[in-house]
Amino acid sequence: MVEHLGFGRRLFLGVNYAALAALALLCLLPLIHVLAISFSSSQAATAGLVKLWPVEFTVSSYEFVLAKPAFTQSIGVSLQRVLLGVLVNMLLTVLIAYPLAKEAKKFPYRTAYVWFFVITMLFHGGLIPLYMTVKYTGIMNTLWALVLPNAVPVFNVVLLLNFFRGLPKELEEAAFMDGAGHWTTLWRVMVPLSAPALATITLFATVGHWNAWFDGLIFMNSPDNYPLQSYLQTVVINRDLSLVSSSDLKALAEVSDRTAKAAQIFLGALPILLVYPFLQRFFMKGIVLGSVKE
Amino acid sequence: MLQKIKSPYWPLHLMLLPGVLLVLVFSYGPLFGIVIAFQRFLPAKGFFDSQWIGLDNFRYVLDLPDSSRILWNTVIIAFFKIVVGFIVPVVVSLLLNEVRKEMFKRSIQTMIYLPHFLSWIILGGILIDILSPSSGIVNQFLVWFGIEPIYFLGDNAWFRPVLVLSDVWKEFGFNTIVYLAALTSINPSLYEAAIVDGAGRWKQTLHITLPGMMPIIVLTLTLSLGNVLNAGFDQVFNLYSPQVYETGDIIDTFVYRIGLVDAQYGVATAVGLFKSVVSLVFISASYYLAYRLANYRIF
């Protein structure tokens, strides 16, 4: 289509492109600034010389941070948590979404189950009762305390079940005609057809577990078991010096509190920055498909 | 009996079983824990032997000089987040919709979605650094323009605007997704007809695009009603300090402090219960409205 562009239209487009580019930069620049600080010398950082490019390039803050056992340990806890947590989340999401995607005619208990799960979205016991529950189940201070209370991500279940419902009914019927049961239909027909939705939900679950910090803070008795974000909360946000050993303090004098924090912030964001571009193209599709209903 | 075992539903029940058990323990379990809102709860005595005190915990909180302030902070912060956080994505998606260069559009989308995926720990760390009154880059710029440095995170006049703006900054891009989806579903023949009638871009936006977005706008607004008491624990907790309790302390941070820091379990649970009940009313109302106005159902 050939569109004749008048002056007003071209002016608008120019301003529009510029405004959108500015907004997009606004989202990236703070991150780039912190990245630049993390690679700058402590003197340059404290003197406020660093803008968007490292000044007096050095990796000493990364050496300092990665030599801290507490930091690397917390990365280990986070990785375990993501692995176990996402596995549990995905398994349960698929297993719950399939029966709930059935029509009430085909699975009369569906409505009861739906309410059972929806109520948990609407009404919570609150912080203290949850804390007590975790305490009484005896999983305090273990990885399970970070995994089991979030085992059923109801929102993701909703996304997936809406996706399942959008698939052609004939496929399911054909599978049953061929003698497949529910389990075979689920794993052989529904799951392979749901790759975009499953990729989206995996991204959400991964990001959710990687980013979680509060449960680590309250369910882990010892900072040794903190996942990375909980650990960062105590050292980057709370400026809790009790977790910094005396040898750390000596090293801190050389790398400066600011560059060390910047390095930790960047390392904490790094896994997200790495997986994001690959999964990003899925989630736009996945969300839209999961939210649009006939 | 045999009939029952042969029921075609048992594989479905079996699939649901693990999820049901976990939800029973970790979502319904805490609901029973609510009884401690009515007790002088002592962990050593447990639920069964702690003393029942009726509504004393609620009365205690109501008598605190801070309680009305905390409720007000929560509502006002949540309100501005809802309003600004609604306007910005709508405007941005309209602007994005005018972009004809696919590559440009995609690059912008990729960049503006990113903050949504970073935790408030990461973003909090970044904000604390760039907003610092002594070394932060924002204040360096202000000084450059001859403006006195502002202690954004320690000043009661600035704390709420910072909360609202940084929350919008984190989420606006991601929230454009639903509006962009709504825009693509508008029938192109409507635009063609409008062009034939001599409508310019602006007229088209006013008479076709905006009405086309109306259902989803109504839907997001009604659903956000359920969040009037959710001012954002993660964000506030990681940005606030005792200096800004006056304007920044919200129900969730207050519950954390009296509950887990001061170990007043009963009082904290009472506050949490109050929040849950009020939220339930608002969420139910918003779902009902969304159903009536936009024919929306979660399932």
Side-chain angles (χ1 to χ4, degrees), chain B residues 172-203:
Chain B
F172 83 90
F174 196 73
N175 290 339
T176 59
I177 293 180
V178 290
Y179 299 113
L180 287 172
L183 286 174
T184 56
S185 66
I186 296 175
N187 188 345
S189 63
L190 289 175
Y191 288 106
E192 283 157 26
I195 292 169
V196 171
D197 289 345
R201 270 290 177 194
W202 176 242
K203 283 261 161 92

Side-chain angles (χ1 to χ4, degrees), chain A residues 58-123:
Chain A
T58 167
V59 292
S60 56
S61 57
Y62 286 92
E63 282 168 358
F64 166 70
V65 166
L66 290 172
K68 280 201 298 191
F71 184 81
T72 41
Q73 247 169 22
S74 70
I75 292 183
V77 175
S78 273
L79 290 177
Q80 288 176 42
R81 173 192 186 151
V82 168
L83 226 61
L84 183 67
V86 172
L87 190 77
V88 169
N89 279 164
M90 291 309 294
L91 200 66
L92 288 170
T93 306
V94 169
L95 287 179
I96 297 170
Y98 177 80
L100 296 192
K102 298 263 171 248
E103 282 159 47
K105 267 182 293 179
K106 291 191 178 159
F107 183 42
Y109 305 96
R110 174 185 180 268
T111 323
Y113 279 117
V114 165
W115 276 108
F116 177 81
F117 287 107
V118 168
I119 285 171
T120 67
M121 276 173 104
L122 300 179
F123 196 74

Side-chain angles (χ1 to χ4, degrees), chain B:
Chain B
M1 186 63 197
L2 203 66
Q3 196 68 40
K4 215 160 195 173
I5 292 170
K6 271 190 172 170
S7 156
Y9 305 126
W10 73 263
L12 299 175
H13 289 301
L14 203 62
M15 285 177 187
L16 287 160
L17 186 67
V20 167
L21 287 179
L22 282 164
V23 165
L24 264 184
V25 175
F26 292 103
S27 294
Y28 286 84
L31 292 186
F32 293 104
I34 283 173
V35 295
I36 64 182
F38 308 96
Q39 293 180 333
R40 181 165 293 125
F41 182 74
L42 296 170
K45 289 191 169 179
F47 297 122
F48 301 104
D49 296 320
S50 286
Q51 184 194 350
W52 288 88
I53 52 170
L55 294 175
D56 278 5
N57 286 327
F58 293 87
R59 285 194 202 102
Y60 171 80
V61 175
L62 281 179
D63 288 340
L64 285 179
D66 300 344
S67 56
S68 62
R69 191 188 75 190
I70 287 159
L71 183 62
W72 172 246
N73 285 345
T74 309
V75 173
I76 198 85
I77 292 168
F79 174 79
F80 277 105
K81 280 184 180 177
I82 289 170
V83 172
V84 186
F86 155 74
I87 295 170
V88 176
V90 170
V91 173
V92 173
S93 50
L94 284 175
L95 294 180
L96 271 172
N97 194 42
E98 295 298 318
V99 173
R100 289 287 164 267
K101 295 194 172 73
E102 249 340 278
M103 262 296 285
F104 180 79
K105 190 174 171 181
R106 275 183 187 279
S107 325
I108 298 286
Q109 283 175 287
T110 306
M111 290 194 261
I112 62 179
Y113 295 164
L114 180 63
H116 169 83
F117 292 96
L118 298 172
S119 70
W120 271 116
I121 302 299
I122 301 297
L123 297 181
I126 292 176
L127 283 171
I128 289 170
D129 184 280
I130 65 174
L131 295 178
S132 147
S134 54
S135 56
I137 192 159
V138 173
N139 275 309
Q140 280 183 44
F141 271 108
L142 290 183
V143 171
W144 204 49
F145 283 110
I147 303 168
E148 286 281 299
I150 298 167
Y151 190 5
F152 290 100
L153 295 174
D155 185 334
N156 278 303
W158 280 100
F159 191 65
R160 280 185 202 148
V162 170
L163 287 182
V164 172
L165 286 178
S166 57
D167 183 64
V168 172
W169 172 65
K170 185 181 196 286
E171 303 296 347
F172 83 90
F174 196 73
N175 290 339
T176 59
I177 293 180
V178 290
Y179 299 113
L180 287 172
L183 286 174
T184 56
S185 66
I186 296 175
N187 188 345
S189 63
L190 289 175
Y191 288 106
E192 283 157 26
I195 292 169
V196 171
D197 289 345
R201 270 290 177 194
W202 176 242
K203 283 261 161 92
Q204 291 173 34
T205 306
L206 215 59
H207 296 295
I208 299 167
T209 315
L210 274 179
M213 284 170 88
M214 237 2 169
I216 196 83
I217 287 178
V218 172
L219 181 63
T220 46
L221 273 182
T222 44
L223 288 182
S224 62
L225 186 67
N227 277 327
V228 278
L229 289 189
N230 284 324
F233 174 79
D234 282 22
Q235 181 197 19
V236 175
F237 188 78
N238 287 308
L239 292 177
Y240 84 159
S241 56
Q243 287 138 281
V244 288
Y245 280 176
E246 193 187 322
T247 54
D249 197 14
I250 58 172
I251 296 176
D252 292 331
T253 50
F254 180 67
V255 168
Y256 171 81
R257 288 205 314 280
I258 51 169
L260 291 181
V261 180
D262 301 344
Q264 299 191 58
Y265 296 115
V267 180
T269 308
V271 179
L273 178 61
F274 165 78
K275 190 198 159 194
S276 293
V277 170
V278 177
S279 286
L280 178 68
V281 172
F282 275 103
I283 295 172
S284 308
S286 74
Y287 275 102
Y288 178 73
L289 275 176
Y291 173 63
R292 294 305 297 264
L293 298 174
N295 205 17
Y296 172 82
R297 281 181 215 170
I298 4 173
F299 284 91

